[in-house]
Amino acid sequence: MKTRTGRMQRQLVIMGPILDPSEVLACVETAQLLCRSICDRPDLHERGMLERFHDVLMGEVAEQSVIKWLRSQGVPAESAVDKASEQPDSGHDILVKGRQGEVLTCSVKSSISAYHADMDKILDTFSIATKASEICSINIQVYFWLNLQETPRAAVPSESHMAIIGWLGCKDFSGRNFVQYATEKREVANIKLRDLRAMETLPGFLSQRLGE
């Protein structure tokens, strides 16, 4: 994969807001439901209920934003799980289906930057938040960011301070090593966001894979 310049990458990520207010409210309602059934993974730090809710809400907004964007590009995407069930985590987030019954699994990772609000800095600092056991056919990273220097300040996650950064196919992880987070037991792929594939290339890739 070739590294793109900051100027080109800035044009190729999908900047928020993507969801309208009613769609964000639906995500809030789903996150409330999910918080009653999920358990923290052993490779994450122990979270209080409020922190867990914020993390789940960001994940839901990220997933629904990706689904909405994919559908706007003519890609038939849907959530992979029943959020009302007591086991809403199937290991992947989205299903993309072809006309002949082909199905591709898609993982959507959501992360937040507390210290960097500049897109170029985010791309050069952070890596795709995927560990080896979570790799799907398609792997998408969404980032939120805070900005305490703005007026008014962005001190909490916002649909206006997020972007769908890019994607990787499962083969893109071949030969890549995984390293441990500095503050978690969890591992992460050693691939900077700068080196992800541009979102605008994903619909064409899916069309070829699904024989559309």
Side-chain angles (χ1 to χ4, degrees):
M1 291 176 289
K2 294 182 179 179
T3 301
R4 294 170 288 273
T5 66
R7 180 172 178 273
M8 291 178 64
Q9 181 71 65
R10 190 184 296 272
Q11 294 171 349
L12 297 179
V13 302
I14 310 302
M15 301 294 292
I18 298 169
L19 304 180
D20 63 38
S22 65
E23 291 168 330
V24 174
L25 182 58
C27 290
V28 172
E29 295 170 349
T30 300
Q32 290 176 317
L33 183 64
L34 290 175
C35 278
R36 298 171 185 168
S37 59
I38 64 171
C39 297
D40 286 339
R41 296 176 180 178
D43 58 358
L44 291 175
H45 68 278
E46 184 176 350
R47 298 179 294 179
M49 185 57 68
L50 184 57
E51 181 182 1
R52 183 183 296 174
F53 172 75
H54 281 293
D55 288 346
V56 172
L57 178 56
M58 284 195 302
E60 188 64 20
V61 170
E63 177 187 315
Q64 294 304 316
S65 294
V66 170
I67 289 175
K68 183 176 182 178
W69 182 80
L70 286 172
R71 289 176 175 174
S72 75
Q73 304 300 305
V75 177
E78 61 184 46
S79 180
V81 297
D82 177 6
K83 303 298 175 66
S85 70
E86 294 184 357
Q87 294 181 325
D89 188 351
S90 62
H92 49 271
D93 303 292
I94 296 173
L95 297 178
V96 179
K97 298 181 178 180
R99 295 178 182 175
Q100 305 301 319
E102 308 92 337
V103 177
L104 294 180
T105 59
C106 175
S107 167
V108 178
K109 295 299 183 183
S110 60
S111 303
I112 187 166
S113 169
Y115 298 108
H116 304 302
D118 176 76
M119 179 56 66
D120 283 322
K121 192 69 173 179
I122 289 172
L123 296 174
D124 290 330
T125 302
F126 302 114
S127 302
I128 185 170
T130 299
K131 60 182 184 180
S133 61
E134 297 172 336
I135 295 173
C136 293
S137 299
I138 305 298
N139 306 271
I140 297 174
Q141 178 71 53
V142 174
Y143 243 90
F144 295 79
W145 58 88
L146 308 182
N147 193 334
L148 303 182
Q149 309 305 317
E150 287 185 330
T151 304
R153 296 189 306 168
V156 295
S158 165
E159 60 267 40
S160 297
H161 291 78
M162 65 164 288
I164 307 175
I165 300 296
W167 70 280
L168 293 176
C170 57
K171 293 182 179 179
D172 291 323
F173 291 91
S174 178
R176 300 282 187 151
N177 64 316
F178 290 77
V179 297
Q180 185 172 317
Y181 272 105
T183 58
E184 302 280 0
K185 297 178 181 178
R186 178 183 173 88
E187 67 175 7
V188 60
N190 190 22
I191 305 174
K192 294 297 184 185
L193 300 182
R194 175 76 67 188
D195 293 325
L196 302 188
R197 296 184 182 274
M199 286 304 298
E200 70 171 14
T201 67
L202 181 54
F205 173 84
L206 291 174
S207 178
Q208 290 183 335
R209 283 290 305 272
L210 297 172
E212 296 294 314

